[in-house]
Amino acid sequence: MAAHPMLDARREQMFPTLGQAEIDRLRRFGESKFYEKGERILRAGEVAPGLILILSGKVEITQGFGTDQREIIVTHQAGQFVGELAQLSAHPSLVDGEAVEDVQALVIPSARLRDLLVQEADLGERIMRALILRRVGLLESGAAGPIIIGRANHADVLRLQGFLARNGQPHRVLDSDSDSCAKTLIERFNVDVHHLPIVLCPNGKLLRNPSENELARCIGLVRSIDPTKVYDVAIVGAGPAGLAAAVYAASEGLEVIVLDCRAFGGQAGASARIENYLGFPTGISGMALMGRAYTQAQKFGAEIVIPEEAHLLDERVIENGRSYVLSVGDDETLQSRAVVLASGARYRRLNLPNLGQFEGSSVHYWASPIEAKLCRGQEVALVGAGNSAGQAAVYLASHAKKVWLLARRESLEATMSRYLVERIKAQPNIEVLAQSEITALQGQEGNLEAIRWRRGARDGETPYPISHLFLFIGAEPNTDWLVRCDVALDEKGFVRTGENSREGRHSLETNRPGVFAIGDVRSGSVKRVAAAVGEGAQVVAALHAYLARSAAASAMRS
């Protein structure tokens, strides 16, 4: 991979060489294949045949820094294997691979690769670690995947960049104002600057300011759903609860499909650092934790479709009982015997008339390296008093000149973990403004120039020249789509569960049999990552019980 101290130090783990005994153990998972010298084995943007174990010969792996520039990542030899995380889920390749000699190989398709990882524990661990490290290398090199071309601080550039980053997809951003390669591509494709941003996908297709779904389909993240297949369980939401349910359900042999309209990880993925999650004494970023869960679910065979949004839940009678039908996307449907609602919550917005014109470019609901780079050396404002707000404030303080933390309450102690309160107090460039609220935003053409805020009921408004505002003011249940689905909600819009326990319903089951709710979307849930993961594990036992009852009832009817 491109030079990087951490990756160079772990190069042997990234590109291990298997011994003859290990190769022999893998033969039952694949088929022999011969490639002639000069033959293209992998092509960026196209689905690879699977993991390719080289028995003899050499394969050169390259990545692109532009349309005409290539960089050699590695040359694989006998005993080494070609592939990274894309091969785990049969997604298009992010790199090119060419046989520089005649090659005899063992090709292990994606489905059998997942079998290998489960059945060969020690060897599977080595292979999985290599696949993950190779994806990390591609992410850090910034040379693989789609190329976004536009002004670096444009809202749509940030939107597309954020979508790819939050879904663990390598990509590159070229500033149309300063990058010579960007200007060359704009001229080559005859693009008017007013039509920026554009995205050049690895398969060569050019997109003009695409939606997230259009981009996902172009790079192969989203494929058509088979409307005739009946899954055991459909999970709506890929946050901590949904991913936990997917991992446990898929590992126990259930056919699982997971939908999410944005990215895996939910609100937990936005946490700069989680330090009170069991087993991580030094802390872990929300993105890293959720990324591991996402890969783990794929390892066990869960089908994950992002971005894809559920719109309607209906029932259908099938040959061996009842199934639910989810309407998703524009015109697709999927069938499942049971449904788990894990759609979490959506961020609350300030009630300001012109907020929308600054969202994406100057107003942010996420504190990631993308936003940190935008506000480096500047003063920023952050509104919120929960743990997410505290984590974001501490993270931004390491990049920004100063962080103004506005909270409505008299102090942070009532709503924020003590360790975060103490850390905020220890940061010299974080100033907490208690009993404060933002009253107005000022700026033009989508760029924030100043914020007005008020402290207390008697104080007047104070304008301050700030270009970036971060909002962590809680969330509301993401259940608007359930209003038309006969799923019982409480007065705040959260999903009710466990109200029909006398009828043998599980405590996580809704008023509709076989429809469960877990995590933040459930009424009465504890809003913590660990609690969401626990409910994700707990619901799998309820799924087994429901599916067994349904099968027994169907057998009696027949």
Side-chain angles (χ1 to χ4, degrees):
M1 297 275 174
H4 190 281
M6 185 276 290
L7 296 181
D8 288 343
R10 303 184 70 174
R11 197 170 187 84
E12 289 187 7
Q13 292 180 314
M14 293 175 70
F15 307 113
T17 301
L18 305 184
Q20 188 58 51
E22 293 172 317
I23 293 173
D24 291 340
R25 284 161 56 189
L26 299 183
R27 290 185 185 276
R28 63 191 177 97
F29 295 100
E31 296 181 355
S32 182
K33 175 76 174 179
F34 176 77
Y35 298 97
E36 293 184 350
K37 178 181 178 180
E39 187 174 350
R40 184 67 63 88
I41 297 176
L42 299 179
R43 191 180 299 274
E46 297 180 3
V47 177
L51 189 81
I52 302 171
L53 176 60
I54 301 172
L55 304 177
S56 65
K58 295 180 180 180
V59 176
E60 186 177 84
I61 305 298
T62 60
Q63 63 183 354
F65 275 90
T67 54
D68 303 316
Q69 300 176 349
R70 310 297 304 168
E71 179 195 57
I72 297 176
I73 300 174
V74 65
T75 300
H76 289 299
Q77 304 184 44
Q80 297 183 322
F81 53 86
V82 178
E84 58 94 43
L85 283 180
Q87 278 64 65
L88 187 61
S89 51
H91 285 157
S93 176
L94 294 166
V95 296
D96 292 313
E98 182 178 320
V100 293
E101 297 177 358
D102 287 348
V103 170
Q104 189 67 43
L106 182 71
V107 178
I108 303 173
S110 295
R112 295 295 285 156
L113 173 58
R114 294 191 291 270
D115 292 338
L116 183 163
L117 296 174
V118 172
Q119 296 174 28
E120 294 284 347
D122 294 338
L123 190 51
E125 180 183 346
R126 290 182 65 194
I127 294 173
M128 176 61 86
R129 182 181 294 111
L131 300 182
I132 292 172
L133 288 173
R134 292 177 188 183
R135 174 58 64 91
V136 172
L138 292 174
L139 285 166
E140 296 195 353
S141 72
I147 302 173
I148 303 171
I149 302 165
R151 291 179 177 172
N153 61 349
H154 191 280
D156 284 317
V157 170
L158 298 175
R159 171 179 60 83
L160 296 170
Q161 186 181 7
F163 168 74
L164 293 170
R166 284 152 55 185
N167 282 289
Q169 293 298 306
H171 61 280
R172 190 179 185 195
V173 179
L174 301 181
D175 191 334
S176 57
D177 290 338
S178 60
D179 193 287
S180 59
C181 185
K183 295 177 181 178
T184 299
L185 290 171
I186 290 171
E187 292 177 1
R188 176 179 300 182
F189 293 106
N190 194 28
V191 177
D192 189 295
V193 293
H194 296 97
H195 295 157
L196 295 176
I198 57 173
V199 180
L200 183 60
C201 296
N203 60 10
K205 186 175 180 179
L206 182 73
L207 304 178
R208 298 174 187 267
N209 195 14
S211 66
E212 287 89 338
N213 190 275
E214 288 174 317
L215 176 55
R217 290 189 180 277
C218 187
I219 64 177
L221 273 183
V222 177
R223 295 185 290 267
S224 297
I225 298 173
D226 183 355
T228 64
K229 180 176 181 178
V230 181
Y231 294 88
D232 291 318
V233 56
I235 301 172
V236 183
L243 288 177
V247 168
Y248 287 106
S251 69
E252 295 181 15
L254 297 181
E255 285 278 354
V256 180
I257 185 170
V258 184
L259 309 174
D260 198 286
C261 62
R262 294 182 185 86
F264 65 79
Q267 292 190 74
S271 296
R273 180 165 294 273
I274 302 173
E275 294 189 62
N276 57 357
Y277 189 75
L278 187 68
F280 292 90
T282 59
I284 184 172
S285 73
M287 184 65 187
L289 180 64
M290 292 297 98
R292 295 180 184 189
Y294 173 72
T295 300
Q296 197 173 13
Q298 290 179 310
K299 167 187 172 180
F300 289 117
E303 185 178 339
I304 303 180
V305 186
I306 300 174
E308 198 70 280
E309 187 170 11
H311 300 298
L312 190 64
L313 176 65
D314 205 350
E315 285 188 42
R316 177 179 297 171
V317 177
I318 57 177
E319 183 178 348
N320 55 347
R322 169 175 52 190
S323 79
Y324 284 101
V325 179
L326 278 167
S327 298
V328 298
D330 293 331
D331 56 0
E332 290 188 295
T333 60
L334 70 86
Q335 296 186 72
S336 180
R337 294 183 173 86
V339 176
V340 173
L341 304 174
S343 50
R346 58 177 180 269
Y347 298 110
R348 287 199 182 108
R349 303 169 74 245
L350 288 177
N351 186 23
L352 297 173
N354 61 342
L355 178 69
Q357 74 181 71
F358 301 113
E359 288 179 317
S361 58
S362 299
V363 174
H364 314 283
Y365 299 87
W366 184 285
S368 74
I370 296 173
E371 290 79 21
K373 183 178 179 181
L374 285 174
C375 61
R376 186 180 302 278
Q378 302 179 35
E379 295 192 16
V380 303
L382 188 151
V383 183
N387 279 2
S388 294
Q391 291 158 354
V394 172
Y395 173 71
L396 292 171
S398 64
H399 297 81
K401 179 180 178 181
K402 185 172 183 176
V403 177
W404 296 89
L405 178 56
L406 286 74
R408 284 195 170 190
R409 294 175 179 264
E410 293 183 9
S411 67
L412 300 177
E413 280 78 359
T415 53
M416 190 180 293
S417 295
R418 183 174 178 180
Y419 80 93
L420 280 172
V421 175
E422 293 177 351
R423 185 165 297 166
I424 287 171
K425 290 179 179 178
Q427 300 299 316
N429 62 336
I430 298 180
E431 183 168 343
V432 179
L433 302 178
Q435 294 182 295
S436 300
E437 62 178 328
I438 292 179
T439 57
L441 304 178
Q442 299 173 355
Q444 53 186 340
E445 296 182 358
N447 295 313
L448 188 62
E449 296 173 354
I451 296 174
R452 301 181 72 89
W453 63 63
R454 180 173 55 236
R455 298 190 66 181
R458 297 181 180 179
D459 292 350
E461 293 184 358
T462 301
Y464 212 89
I466 284 178
S467 300
H468 291 280
L469 170 64
F470 293 82
L471 300 180
F472 290 83
I473 54 177
E476 300 170 338
N478 190 14
T479 55
D480 289 350
W481 69 284
L482 291 173
V483 173
R484 298 176 291 115
C485 301
D486 194 29
V487 173
L489 308 177
D490 67 13
E491 65 279 2
K492 295 183 178 179
F494 292 93
V495 180
R496 295 183 183 275
T497 58
E499 296 185 347
N500 297 309
S501 57
R502 293 181 181 178
E503 301 176 13
R505 302 280 182 88
H506 192 272
S507 60
L508 297 177
E509 196 166 6
T510 70
N511 61 304
R512 301 190 70 170
V515 178
F516 303 82
I518 58 175
D520 287 0
V521 77
R522 188 178 68 82
S523 179
S525 66
V526 178
K527 305 301 188 282
R528 286 287 187 271
V529 175
V533 171
E535 290 189 5
Q538 184 183 357
V539 79
V540 176
L543 286 169
H544 281 299
Y546 169 76
L547 293 172
R549 290 197 309 269
S550 298
S554 177
M556 291 181 62
R557 286 193 297 268
S558 60

